[in-house]
């Protein structure tokens, strides 16, 4: 391997996942693995289960972990809630709803889609209509992406519950909170969500490698009745007191050491404070973009300010601006790593992540670095972006 050139200081990681790791999480993960009979193994798993239940605000759902990424947790949902040939409804939110739909179809399930309205949240009326049109109740579940990390749009979950109930439809409500958990408010039980899907590497401030689902009794009963052949992903098999069965094999111990530490940090700060911090940092990024867009070359992808995510901001660029070159300058020269556009937004947008272990100084550094990269690339900017972010954080 060629030696990596030294990076002075730290490169600031502002992709919407993976996100930077707090030192406490890094330290917790540096412990030695343990034999599977060591009581500390079960204590660590129980702490992660309890912590996630608390974070998801559920008193009744079981948490099942997978040594997998978010796509693994998606697959777990598909395998447990629908059998091959059965249908699920995927409301369009952008790249992530479409990816989940494609994966669901690849597993032999049918997908009913509602159209993606670019820059806007889920079309709830279309969801309700699709459920009303499903007279035979072929649709087993609604797979809703809370924050679409490609669009930077957050869809409210509560209206979806109301739409399902108004249609008198028995479909389960499944919420993908991979990009929103630990950043935006989410209360599983109060929202009537039957299954929540998450992953370790975004708002949870852990490395990639753990996917998880929280499953209420209603959803668990569907899994019991579901004849689809499955093994590793099976919720029924995983509801077991033995940690070896809970994980269908060896738990990813060091990742779970990190998760326990990360959950502790979240509760020490306080859930309300964590949400408030994310809203403030997102506000600073959005203030900067408001300034930049006056130059005419950049704009928000999320048209409606009310649906802009507190986790990630997607900025569209005028034709002729090379996003990959811009990101390379930001990363290599100014040490700010941000993400590009995904799917239909490839080459049309860049994305600034502002979730997880992030504070005001970090976000100002990131915005200033991106602004420097934009200037380097000759992108016309309006009335100052970084200054507006400073004002936003100062409450001016
Ligand atoms: C990141 C993400 C996923 C996929 O997670 P991976 O760990 O990359 O497989 C799914 N849904 C949402 C909303 C995400 O942001």
């Amino acid at each position: 391997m060629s030696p990596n050139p030294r990076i002075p200081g730290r490169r600031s990681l502002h992709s919407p996942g993976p996100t930077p790791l707090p030192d406490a999480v890094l330290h917790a993960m540096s412990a030695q693995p343990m034999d599977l009979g060591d009581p500390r193994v079960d204590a660590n798993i129980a702490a992660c289960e309890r912590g996630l239940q608390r974070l998801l605000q559920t008193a009744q759902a079981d948490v099942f972990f997978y040594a997998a990424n978010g796509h693994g947790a998606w697959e777990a949902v598909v395998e447990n809630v629908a059998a091959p040939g059965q249908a699920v409804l995927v409301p369009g939110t952008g790249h992530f709803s479409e990816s989940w739909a494609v994966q669901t179809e690849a597993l032999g399930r049918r997908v009913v889609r509602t159209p993606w309205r670019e820059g806007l949240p889920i079309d709830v009326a279309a969801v309700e209509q699709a459920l009303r049109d499903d007279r035979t109740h072929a649709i087993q579940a609604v797979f809703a992406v809370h924050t679409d990390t490609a669009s930077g749009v957050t869809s409210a979950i509560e209206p979806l519950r109301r739409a399902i109930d108004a249609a008198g439809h028995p479909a389960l409500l499944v919420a993908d909170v991979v990009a929103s958990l630990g950043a935006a408010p989410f209360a599983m039980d109060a929202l009537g969500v039957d299954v929540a899907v998450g992953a370790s590497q975004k708002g949870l401030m852990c490395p990639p490698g753990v996917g998880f689902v929280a499953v209420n009794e209603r959803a668990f009963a569907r899994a019991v009745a579901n004849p689809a052949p499955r093994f590793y992903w099976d919720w029924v098999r995983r509801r077991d007191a033995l940690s070896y069965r809970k994980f269908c094999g060896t738990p990813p111990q060091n990742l779970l050491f990190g998760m326990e530490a990360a959950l502790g940090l979240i509760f020490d700060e306080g859930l309300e404070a964590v949400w408030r911090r994310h809203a403030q940092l997102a506000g600073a990024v959005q203030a900067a973009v408001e300034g930049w867009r006056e130059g005419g070359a950049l704009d928000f992808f999320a048209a409606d300010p009310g649906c802009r995510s507190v986790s990630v901001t997607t900025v569209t660029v005028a034709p002729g601006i090379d996003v990959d070159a811009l990101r390379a300058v930001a990363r290599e020269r100014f040490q700010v790593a941000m993400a590009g556009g995904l799917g239909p937004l490839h080459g049309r947008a860049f994305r600034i992540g502002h979730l997880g272990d992030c504070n005001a100084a970090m976000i100002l550094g990131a915005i200033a670095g991106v602004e420097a990269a934009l200037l380097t690339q000759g992108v016309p900017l309006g009335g100052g972006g970084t200054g507006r972010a400073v004002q936003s954080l100062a409450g001016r």
Side-chain angles (χ1 to χ4, degrees):
M1 240 170 65
S2 63
N4 289 319
R6 186 183 116 76
I7 297 168
R10 270 193 195 174
R11 175 168 288 168
S12 27
L13 178 55
H14 285 276
S15 85
T19 63
L21 305 181
D23 289 343
V25 171
L26 281 172
H27 293 152
M29 289 193 309
S30 70
Q32 292 290 346
M34 299 165 188
D35 84 270
L36 297 181
D38 190 319
R40 291 174 297 174
V41 172
D42 286 346
N44 169 233
I45 293 167
C48 291
E49 288 172 343
R50 278 197 311 270
L52 284 177
Q53 285 164 336
R54 187 170 160 200
L55 185 56
L56 290 159
Q57 300 183 63
T58 176
Q60 43 152 337
D62 273 339
V63 176
F64 304 117
F65 295 99
Y66 301 94
N69 56 18
H71 281 72
W74 272 354
E75 189 134 337
V77 172
V78 175
E79 295 287 13
N80 281 280
V81 307
Q86 290 182 333
V88 303
L89 172 63
V90 180
T93 61
H95 177 71
F96 280 89
S97 67
E98 185 53 24
S99 301
W100 200 1
V102 166
Q103 189 171 336
T104 302
E105 286 172 333
L107 293 165
R109 278 72 170 174
R110 275 194 311 117
V111 173
V112 178
R113 291 169 172 79
T114 64
W116 174 39
R117 304 176 304 168
E118 284 208 11
L120 294 173
I122 288 170
D123 184 344
V124 179
V127 170
E128 183 171 333
Q129 192 55 49
L131 292 172
R132 287 187 190 279
D133 292 345
D134 177 38
R135 299 229 166 69
T136 61
H137 293 170
I139 293 170
Q140 304 297 308
V142 176
F143 287 0
V145 176
H146 187 206
T147 292
D148 192 299
T149 323
S151 312
V153 170
T154 298
S155 296
I157 298 296
E158 195 195 350
L160 290 171
R161 176 78 265 166
R162 282 204 302 271
I164 296 171
D165 294 346
H169 200 289
L172 297 171
L173 177 55
V174 182
D176 170 343
V177 294
V178 174
S180 52
L181 189 65
F186 178 81
M188 181 175 177
D189 291 356
L191 290 167
V193 169
D194 297 298
V195 182
V197 186
S200 50
Q201 79 274 20
K202 299 189 180 175
L204 280 184
M205 312 182 289
C206 293
V210 179
F212 55 87
V213 291
V215 179
N216 72 8
E217 267 315 316
R218 186 163 172 256
F220 190 83
R222 298 285 187 92
V224 171
N226 180 357
R230 60 197 188 272
F231 195 98
Y232 182 77
W233 307 111
D234 187 15
W235 296 339
V236 183
R237 194 176 296 277
R238 278 169 181 259
R239 186 185 264 183
D240 198 294
L242 282 177
S243 61
Y244 193 76
R245 298 246 172 81
K246 268 186 186 170
F247 281 82
C248 195
T250 308
Q253 292 181 5
N254 293 57
L255 291 173
L256 297 172
F257 300 160
M259 185 176 286
E260 181 178 347
L263 288 163
L265 295 177
I266 289 172
F267 298 125
D268 283 350
E269 184 177 350
L271 268 190
E272 301 279 340
V274 168
W275 297 334
R276 201 163 48 239
R277 172 167 58 82
H278 279 85
Q280 275 163 358
L281 298 180
V285 174
Q286 288 165 15
V289 177
E290 283 292 353
W292 293 340
R293 71 197 282 269
E294 288 175 6
L298 304 177
D299 206 346
F300 288 105
F301 181 68
D304 171 7
C307 73
R308 285 177 196 150
S309 163
V310 298
S311 301
V312 55
T313 297
T314 302
V315 182
T316 54
V317 305
I321 296 174
D322 182 340
V323 173
D324 287 339
L326 174 70
R327 285 176 62 210
V329 170
R331 185 196 312 112
E332 305 301 334
R333 189 159 157 203
F334 300 109
Q335 302 303 332
V336 179
M338 57 176 178
L342 286 176
L345 290 177
H346 181 78
R348 286 175 53 200
F350 61 84
R351 294 177 299 143
I352 302 172
H354 32 83
L355 77 167
D357 193 38
C358 191
N359 63 30
M362 290 161 73
I363 215 68
L364 289 175
I367 289 165
V370 172
E371 189 166 298
L374 289 163
L375 289 175
T376 304
Q377 295 302 94
V379 176
L381 298 177
T386 301
R388 299 235 190 153
V390 172
Q391 284 173 340
S392 162
L393 287 168
R396 292 290 170 149

